[in-house]
Amino acid sequence: MDDLTAPTGREEALRAMPHPDGTAPRALVLGATGYLGGRLVPRLLGGGYSVRVLARDAQRVAAFDWGSRVDVVEGDATDEAAMGEAVRDVDVLYYLVHSMGAGKGFEAADRAAATTV
């Protein structure tokens, strides 16, 4: 790859390898509406992945150009039921969430989310 600073997902090294039955591998992105996640999702889609996102607000996902091209599970990374639904049939998971906005004690919130995931 010549330009690692702006991969599109269409580069050969980033292409999804289909399952033996021809279906696309599914990627789950936690934190898809954040700075990194919002840039990762279109690259995964461009690479041939089926993408699912976990988001507290599906309407926020819909505001992205790629919002209609992903499967959305509404919930939070600390919600066991939502996580159970989100990880079903997933081949790869990208964990891009943090709780620093929660202020003091964010470490405990981060630990709870990571434990649930």
Side-chain angles (χ1 to χ4, degrees):
M1 289 179 19
D2 296 325
D3 186 4
L4 291 177
T5 61
T8 63
R10 292 182 296 275
E11 295 81 3
E12 189 61 34
L14 300 177
R15 295 286 308 159
M17 294 182 64
H19 292 136
D21 67 1
T23 60
R26 183 182 316 268
L28 171 61
V29 180
L30 307 180
T33 60
Y35 182 81
L36 293 175
R39 286 153 179 76
L40 174 62
V41 170
R43 284 159 177 80
L44 291 170
L45 291 167
Y49 286 87
S50 169
V51 178
R52 178 179 295 150
V53 303
L54 176 73
R56 290 186 199 111
D57 182 357
Q59 293 209 354
R60 186 164 178 206
V61 173
F64 284 85
D65 291 344
W66 46 260
S68 64
R69 298 174 54 208
V70 301
D71 177 26
V72 180
V73 174
E74 275 195 307
D76 181 283
T78 61
D79 178 344
E80 288 185 29
M83 280 306 309
E85 181 182 347
V87 299
R88 182 180 33 84
D89 300 324
V90 165
D91 297 294
V92 61
L93 185 151
Y94 292 90
Y95 186 94
L96 305 172
V97 296
H98 63 78
S99 303
M100 290 191 302
K104 189 174 182 173
F106 75 88
E107 298 94 340
D110 275 347
R111 190 174 302 107
T115 300
T116 301
V117 173

